[in-house]
């Protein structure tokens, strides 16, 4: 577009081009802000989920990474071999041990704040987590626990990224940048259950869901722990909410499919639900699925200690 100058007076040399560049920058910045604001709105009904904004597709993530302005912080909740073999460019490695303690339980508020800051995360940072199985849901749950509720999970994980034809980085990668200013909130009340909560729920008839694999529910032992299940627990394996039986464990089923699973199992949105597994990792998947379905967050609880905690404290005292 040509500039129109009044009374035939030309601006000083370069002034018009400077003004044009400034205008273009402002337009680009506004477009970027609008795109970020529109993202969650457009994703709201992704796969039919009332809270589909908690998931993101590989194409959406690629667009965000290529857009001008601040880039999302991408965390790879994968093992070391997977990290070395191929990862989303620019991602930071976030193995399970970096945000859980020795037995897989959630780290403290201060420890998680250090984890987030080490990865350059601020209050306003866009954060995307991905995995190759189910760990990303656990990391999403931890962010939610400590006050960052806008974190998104890459639906389909690394497999979806590769299948979309996007490039990958290999090797050790770069170290986290540090310098983040994220301030972790006190743990969200009711988002986590302890052993006393679970024992009380069993007595009161509140549903306790065993989300492990079927062999574990039927008595198989892993990790050297005694076989068994929590008293009065019901079974709803984590795989019921993902396409694991199709070789796609990182991909969630649709809202319609999830609704059918919940109806068949007898889920009630009006009551509390407690989820457990071996160490609290797989249990985050059904919890996230119910969150996607619009269940009240105050009704969703994850037994952080899970079977490790229950078997060592309860079975030992029998």
């Amino acid at each position: 577009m040509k500039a129109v100058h009044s009374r035939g007076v030309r601006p000083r040399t370069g002034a018009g081009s400077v003004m044009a560049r400034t205008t273009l920058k402002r337009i680009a910045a506004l477009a970027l802000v609008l795109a970020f604001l529109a993202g969650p709105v457009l994703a709201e009904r992704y796969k039919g989920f009332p809270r589909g904004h908690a998931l993101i597709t590989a194409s959406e993530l690629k667009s965000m990474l290529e857009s001008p302005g601040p880039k999302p912080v991408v965390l790879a909740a994968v093992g070391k071999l997977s990290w070395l073999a191929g990862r989303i460019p620019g991602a930071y490695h976030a193995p399970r041990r970096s945000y859980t303690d020795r037995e897989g339980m959630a780290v403290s508020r201060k420890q998680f704040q250090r984890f987030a800051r080490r990865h350059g995360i601020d209050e306003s940072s866009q954060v995307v987590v991905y995995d190759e199985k189910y760990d990303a849901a656990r990391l999403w749950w931890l962010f939610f626990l400590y006050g960052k509720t806008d974190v998104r999970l890459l639906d389909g994980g690394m497999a979806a990224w590769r299948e979309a034809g996007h490039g990958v980085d290999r090797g050790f990668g770069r170290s986290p940048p540090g310098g983040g200013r994220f301030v972790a909130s006190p743990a969200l009340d009711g988002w986590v259950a302890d052993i006393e909560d679970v024992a009380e729920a069993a007595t009161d008839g509140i549903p306790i869901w065993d989300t492990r694999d079927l062999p574990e529910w039927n008595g198989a032992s892993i990790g050297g722990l005694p076989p068994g299940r929590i008293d009065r627990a019901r079974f709803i394996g984590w795989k019921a909410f993902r396409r694991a039986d199709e070789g796609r464990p990182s991909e969630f089923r649709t809202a319609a499919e999830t609704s059918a699973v919940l109806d068949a199992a007898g889920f009630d949105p009006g009551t509390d639900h407690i989820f457990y597994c071996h160490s609290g990792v797989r249990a985050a998947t059904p919890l996230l699925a119910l969150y996607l379905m619009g269940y009240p967050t105050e009704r969703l609880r994850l037994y952080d200690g899970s079977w490790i905690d229950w078997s060592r404290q309860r079975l030992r005292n029998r």
Side-chain angles (χ1 to χ4, degrees):
M1 177 183 298
K2 292 184 178 180
V4 179
H5 310 298
S6 63
R7 301 179 183 177
V9 179
R10 294 179 60 85
R12 288 175 295 175
T13 303
S17 60
V18 170
M19 291 173 62
R21 287 197 301 271
T22 301
T23 300
L24 289 174
K25 287 180 180 178
R26 289 175 178 172
I27 292 173
L30 177 61
L32 180 61
V33 170
L34 292 175
F36 287 158
L37 292 175
V41 175
L42 295 174
E44 189 73 21
R45 301 298 301 189
Y46 173 66
K47 285 191 171 181
F49 288 118
R51 294 195 184 110
H53 59 266
L55 300 177
I56 186 172
T57 67
S59 295
E60 286 180 281
L61 178 56
K62 185 71 157 53
S63 296
M64 290 171 66
L65 290 171
E66 292 180 342
S67 296
K71 302 293 187 290
V73 178
V74 182
L75 301 178
V78 300
K80 185 175 181 179
L81 291 179
S82 176
W83 170 257
L84 294 174
R87 60 184 174 277
I88 294 175
Y92 299 113
H93 194 200
R96 191 183 303 176
R97 58 178 168 75
S98 65
Y99 52 84
T100 57
D101 67 15
R102 290 184 304 170
E103 295 186 338
M105 295 180 68
V107 293
S108 69
R109 172 189 174 189
K110 288 185 178 180
Q111 288 173 308
F112 191 77
Q113 180 172 284
R114 285 197 295 270
F115 164 85
R117 290 183 174 185
R118 187 167 64 250
H119 290 86
I121 295 172
D122 300 327
E123 300 294 330
S124 61
S125 295
Q126 299 175 88
V127 179
V128 176
V129 296
Y130 78 89
D131 59 25
E132 54 188 349
K133 202 167 186 179
Y134 43 60
D135 280 61
R138 170 67 156 171
L139 187 48
W140 169 88
W141 177 84
L142 273 165
F143 271 109
F144 210 105
L145 177 67
Y146 291 121
K148 190 158 182 60
T149 61
D150 57 351
V151 173
R152 304 176 73 184
L153 187 147
L154 176 59
D155 192 31
M158 193 62 199
W161 181 266
R162 290 179 182 274
E163 288 169 8
H166 304 320
V168 300
D169 284 346
R170 295 183 175 84
F172 290 100
R174 55 179 180 165
S175 300
R181 296 181 297 276
F182 172 69
V183 178
S185 302
L188 180 64
D189 187 40
W191 195 237
V192 59
D194 59 25
I195 194 167
E196 288 77 18
D197 295 324
V198 176
E200 184 177 341
T203 301
D204 294 344
I206 294 173
I208 303 167
W209 299 97
D210 188 319
T211 70
R212 298 175 297 175
D213 294 337
L214 190 57
E216 293 167 82
W217 168 259
N218 288 330
S221 176
I222 65 172
L225 296 178
R229 65 184 73 145
I230 292 177
D231 305 338
R232 302 182 187 179
R234 311 178 193 181
F235 180 73
I236 186 73
W238 69 275
K239 293 180 181 178
F241 301 94
R242 308 251 195 159
R243 299 198 179 283
D245 55 354
E246 302 167 31
R248 305 176 67 84
S250 291
E251 182 178 339
F252 277 84
R253 299 190 182 279
T254 65
E257 292 170 318
T258 302
S259 180
V261 169
L262 297 177
D263 288 345
F267 274 77
D268 178 3
T271 189
D272 290 355
H273 298 276
I274 297 178
F275 302 92
Y276 82 94
C277 56
H278 181 75
S279 61
V281 178
R282 288 171 288 179
T285 282
L287 187 148
L288 174 52
L290 267 64
Y291 175 84
L292 292 169
M293 291 294 291
Y295 274 55
T297 55
E298 63 270 17
R299 296 293 192 182
L300 307 177
R301 310 182 74 180
L302 189 148
Y303 177 21
D304 193 24
S306 282
W307 185 244
I308 290 178
D309 188 46
W310 184 271
S311 64
R312 289 182 178 172
Q313 294 198 52
R314 290 284 165 167
L315 299 185
R316 182 175 52 197
N317 295 330
R318 285 184 176 179

